[in-house]
Amino acid sequence: MNVATATTATPNPGAVGAASRSAGGVRGVSGSLDSPAENVVVHGNVVVVIGWVLWDGRLVSRIEVEVDGAKPVRARTTLPRIDVAAVLPDLPDAVLAGYEARVPVDIAAGESREVSVRVIAHSRAGAGQVIATRVCTVRSRAFDPQERAVVERNAAMSRQLLAGIQVPRDPDHVLVFTHSLRVGGGELWLAELIGKLLRENGIHVTVVAPADGPLRAELEGLGARVWLTGDHDVARSLPYQAYVNELALIARASGAGSVLVNTLGVFAGVDAALLAQLPVAWVIHESFALADFELLNWGADGLDPSVRRRWQDCLGAADALLFVADATRELFLRYSAPRKCLTIKYGIDVTRLDRAGSAEETSALRRRYGIDERAQVLLTVGVSEPRKGHAALVVAFERIRRHHPYAHLVIVGMIDSPYCHAVHRCVAERRLDDRVTLVPIVRDPRAYFQIADFFVNSSDIESLPRSIIEAVAFGVPVLAADVFGSRDLVVDGVTGWLFSPNDSNALTVGLARALDSSAGERELMAGRALRHIGGFLDSTHYGGQYASLMRGLAAAVPAHVDSAPGGGPS
């Protein structure tokens, strides 16, 4: 399940027009709060706060959102607002003046609650100002008793069908349910793990995914079988139950001894394994609150209450919840027994990196990419989307470039999307084309690591960024946003640099800290970083850990499941 990009609200032409008049002198705060509207009813469990703001005609440092006086949530900033740029063409920052925050509200199914919303902007100079206040009503959907009865009937029929399938279970056969066969962080992690299970640990693997993608050929080349189900609507109760039934039949008929589910959004696979009475381990990469993840993947309508309940129940019923970072594990401890929540820190195959390129090779690569051999190259790698903060990185880079004339920013991961179009526009309007290189997503970014002097991770949401591990393996010092998993890899000022996420001032200072360091300091830091994360540079351990775990689950007698999860709504 892919996390969606930032929500685009319908702009308020009147508000933009009024702001343009006030911004004519480029003084003071201009902007609007597009969502939520005053006294509107918000359906679901999350208040989505969307708007735009400029302070003295420039982007702000950060924006905080308070809902009912609770601890402020820092909004994602530097988001595209083409509508604002059209009205304020003389302000280059207008195109990236957007902000968005998603604030979960604890409310039971079928209940309503009135909440207050307050938005506070902080200028680059450090001043703070309330720019908008609103009152709205949050209303959660109620259960549908009639639909629940039909779902339970279908689940009972599925259990009868499953009882007729008698296939020997092979403890060395793992059935994998995953969200995607495209190229992305979670997908690449799975492909590497499957390779280790097949080639190093004698495990047979069958992969079930909703749609085809470039990784299918790679997985089949490794020796895995791949089954495609087609996309299904998991947000509604009846289609969800039908999908669970289908997956459960596949699971029982496959002869697998255990099930491995990849990513938080594939809870139907956990539900199906429980229905098929197979032990299941669930790998969770995402460091999101459930309500936030639900909104991003299934929109404002979200999941039917009964489906949401089963999602939560699956977290408690899975035999193991597996994480790559302790910080993400702690986020989900509330849903399961601590003994079932395990952190298995993955490693990368450094022998495959060929990181010790010669100075001549590095110079040749820089010439190929049109980068000055004297440049201080700042590299970031990852599919470009709002949570990666690439637009904010470009803006911060512009602020420091005058003091660092040889600094050069390389962003690898551009795709065809409104966000990436805005990043391209940002680079062009700031006349940074000769100082910023934008590269489409590539399967193998090793050449870019070889030319880098620094690696920058500007994301506001991560679990354990693989790209940071790769940078350290190449001996490249790392500057990273202080988000989930970063502190497992970076000790500020010792093995790298950390900065506060969604804060342009903090990012700018972080870039300056890195670029102001001497070559000797960077060499010492890179060496300390390599020693600090040494365990992540050994890829042999985690394949064996997964193989032992899955065989252990298969050897245990699974509990009989005839009620939710896996047996209908609870």
Side-chain angles (χ1 to χ4, degrees):
M1 193 68 59
N2 286 333
V3 177
T5 57
T7 307
T8 301
T10 302
N12 183 338
V16 175
S20 69
R21 291 190 293 275
S22 67
V26 200
R27 301 299 301 171
V29 179
S30 307
S32 71
L33 175 58
D34 300 324
S35 172
E38 183 71 24
N39 296 321
V40 74
V41 175
V42 175
H43 295 281
N45 294 69
V46 178
V47 177
V48 182
V49 180
I50 299 173
W52 67 273
V53 65
L54 293 170
W55 194 310
D56 294 340
R58 304 299 303 276
L59 297 174
V60 298
S61 175
R62 69 181 189 277
I63 293 175
E64 295 176 331
V65 176
E66 295 179 357
V67 174
D68 266 7
K71 181 180 179 180
V73 172
R74 190 168 293 183
R76 179 176 292 156
T77 58
T78 328
L79 297 179
R81 288 301 298 253
I82 305 301
D83 58 315
V84 178
V87 178
L88 305 174
D90 296 331
L91 300 180
D93 284 358
V95 70
L96 293 172
Y99 66 85
E100 177 189 64
R102 302 179 303 273
V103 186
V105 176
D106 189 11
I107 183 172
E111 292 188 356
S112 297
R113 175 180 158 194
E114 186 178 85
V115 299
S116 61
V117 178
R118 193 165 78 130
V119 181
I120 308 102
H122 296 265
S123 72
R124 292 182 178 183
Q129 181 172 323
V130 176
I131 60 174
T133 58
R134 292 282 165 83
V135 173
C136 62
T137 299
V138 181
R139 180 175 298 162
S140 182
R141 294 175 56 185
F143 288 99
D144 184 339
Q146 184 174 358
E147 188 170 86
R148 292 178 70 188
V150 175
V151 169
E152 174 59 33
R153 173 181 174 275
N154 286 354
M157 293 178 65
S158 182
R159 288 194 294 271
Q160 293 175 0
L161 290 173
L162 288 167
I165 301 176
Q166 301 296 326
V167 177
R169 299 178 184 175
D170 180 359
D172 291 330
H173 182 187
V174 174
L175 179 68
V176 177
F177 292 124
T178 191
H179 64 308
S180 164
L181 296 177
R182 296 187 294 269
V183 176
E187 294 92 336
L188 294 176
W189 171 90
L190 180 64
E192 188 167 279
L193 173 63
I194 288 174
K196 294 185 177 302
L197 293 176
L198 287 163
R199 293 179 172 176
E200 300 173 12
N201 295 279
I203 296 288
H204 310 294
V205 178
T206 299
V207 179
V208 179
D212 203 359
L215 288 183
R216 177 178 60 80
E218 181 174 329
L219 292 174
E220 290 177 337
L222 290 170
R225 295 187 300 172
V226 179
W227 180 284
L228 304 178
T229 65
D231 290 316
H232 290 71
D233 178 13
V234 301
R236 310 280 78 86
S237 295
L238 286 174
Y240 172 78
Q241 183 62 51
Y243 186 40
V244 169
N245 291 348
E246 176 186 346
L247 295 182
L249 290 169
I250 293 172
R252 180 69 70 84
S254 71
S258 60
V259 175
L260 182 68
V261 175
N262 185 42
T263 75
L264 180 59
V266 193
F267 57 92
V270 181
D271 215 346
L274 297 169
L275 181 59
Q277 299 182 28
L278 287 173
V280 56
W282 191 358
V283 185
I284 298 175
H285 306 269
E286 299 84 356
S287 299
F288 289 87
L290 291 187
D292 191 10
F293 189 87
E294 179 181 345
L295 173 73
L296 288 169
N297 285 275
W298 297 289
D301 288 340
L303 302 171
D304 278 356
S306 60
V307 176
R308 184 185 306 117
R309 175 70 62 80
R310 290 177 64 180
W311 186 20
Q312 295 179 7
D313 288 346
C314 283
L315 287 166
D319 295 276
L321 300 182
L322 308 178
F323 307 92
V324 296
D326 288 332
T328 309
R329 174 182 177 272
E330 292 171 5
L331 187 65
F332 286 87
L333 279 176
R334 58 182 292 194
Y335 298 105
S336 184
R339 62 179 175 79
K340 296 200 297 182
C341 299
L342 308 173
T343 300
I344 301 180
K345 296 182 178 181
Y346 67 87
I348 63 173
D349 186 357
V350 296
T351 61
R352 192 177 56 83
L353 293 180
D354 189 24
R355 52 199 169 114
S358 67
E360 291 77 13
E361 290 172 340
T362 300
S363 294
L365 285 171
R366 288 195 172 196
R367 288 194 298 271
R368 181 196 304 175
Y369 299 139
I371 298 173
D372 193 314
E373 292 185 37
R374 299 167 296 175
Q376 292 178 293
V377 176
L378 297 151
L379 171 68
T380 186
V381 175
V383 179
S384 189
E385 57 179 322
R387 74 180 180 92
K388 293 293 185 179
H390 290 161
L393 180 56
V394 171
V395 172
F397 176 80
E398 181 192 26
R399 295 174 69 184
I400 57 91
R401 71 181 177 125
R402 297 179 187 87
H403 302 289
H404 298 277
Y406 290 109
H408 193 110
L409 176 62
V410 178
I411 300 176
V412 178
M414 305 304 292
I415 59 176
D416 183 11
S417 71
Y419 181 75
C420 289
H421 296 164
V423 174
H424 277 280
R425 177 171 173 173
C426 177
V427 170
E429 290 186 347
R430 285 165 169 75
R431 299 180 180 178
L432 294 172
D433 302 80
D434 62 335
R435 304 286 295 278
V436 177
T437 301
L438 302 177
V439 182
I441 186 172
V442 297
R443 177 67 175 85
D444 186 352
R446 283 178 289 179
Y448 292 98
F449 281 105
Q450 188 169 333
I451 67 170
D453 296 291
F454 306 90
F455 183 82
V456 184
N457 184 293
S458 52
S459 300
D460 58 31
I461 295 177
E462 290 284 4
S463 285
L464 192 79
R466 176 191 176 94
S467 56
I468 291 181
I469 302 174
E470 291 178 334
V472 173
F474 272 97
V476 180
V478 173
L479 167 67
D482 190 3
V483 294
F484 282 101
S486 292
R487 293 199 175 199
D488 289 1
L489 304 172
V490 179
V491 180
D492 185 46
V494 179
T495 69
W497 303 274
L498 294 174
F499 64 91
S500 183
N502 285 325
D503 186 326
S504 67
N505 278 359
L507 174 53
T508 303
V509 170
L511 291 174
R513 289 177 69 196
L515 290 166
D516 285 341
S517 64
S518 68
E521 289 171 335
R522 295 196 295 271
E523 185 176 355
L524 287 173
M525 188 168 282
R528 290 193 294 262
L530 200 60
R531 291 189 294 273
H532 176 66
I533 71 163
F536 292 101
L537 302 179
D538 176 10
S539 67
T540 60
H541 69 281
Y542 78 94
Q545 286 180 279
Y546 270 90
S548 296
L549 173 68
M550 301 311 294
R551 285 188 171 112
L553 292 177
V557 178
H560 183 71
V561 179
D562 57 7
S563 60
S570 57

